Amino acid sequence: MSDHDKTVTNTILLVLAILAVMAISFYFIAKTVTSDDSAENDGPNPRMTAKILENIKPVGQVNTGAVVVAAVAESAGPRSGDDVYNASCLACHSTGVAGAPKVGDKAAWDTRVASGMDAMLNNAINGINAMPAKGTCATCSDDELKAAIEYMLKESGV
């Protein structure tokens, strides 16, 4: 082997030896820094656990409003037909969206009244055509839906 080859080989071995010493040094430094002798390693470090929980907590929450509405409905008792209509039925029944009978259109309501209150309440509870079950008031009780129907009938002159 030439002197040049021996020099290259020795340089490579020296660099590998230095890297190995550095790796071992970093290992022991990291172990010393992260060890917790005060807690005697009996369990998880409470400070570290709190920091981890802080780092992984959600940034925000999605609020659909359903929980709030349900809590208000339960705490305030049954809502009046007027309140239910204004909160949930107004969007479709004031404009006639997707064939919904408009409040004030006596002729449209007369055909529905002919089927009876039980049929109208059943349609409101289970949905009909484009109207989903309970309309847009998933938290409404059957009595509140009935009150809303009665309100719309009264406002329509039926």
Side-chain angles (χ1 to χ4, degrees), residues 1-19:
M1 196 188 293
S2 71
D3 286 336
H4 179 68
D5 290 340
K6 287 181 184 179
T7 305
V8 171
T9 303
N10 288 339
T11 305
I12 291 173
L13 289 175
L14 179 63
V15 169
L16 289 175
I18 290 171
L19 289 174

Side-chain angles (χ1 to χ4, degrees), residues 8-59:
V8 171
T9 303
N10 288 339
T11 305
I12 291 173
L13 289 175
L14 179 63
V15 169
L16 289 175
I18 290 171
L19 289 174
V21 169
M22 287 176 57
I24 292 169
S25 298
F26 286 143
Y27 171 78
F28 285 111
I29 290 170
K31 188 170 176 125
T32 303
V33 170
T34 59
S35 69
D36 187 14
D37 294 335
S38 63
E40 299 176 4
N41 296 329
D42 289 338
N45 181 342
R47 200 174 94 221
M48 183 70 78
T49 303
K51 185 65 177 170
I52 290 170
L53 292 174
E54 172 74 20
N55 288 341
I56 65 171
K57 75 178 181 182
V59 175

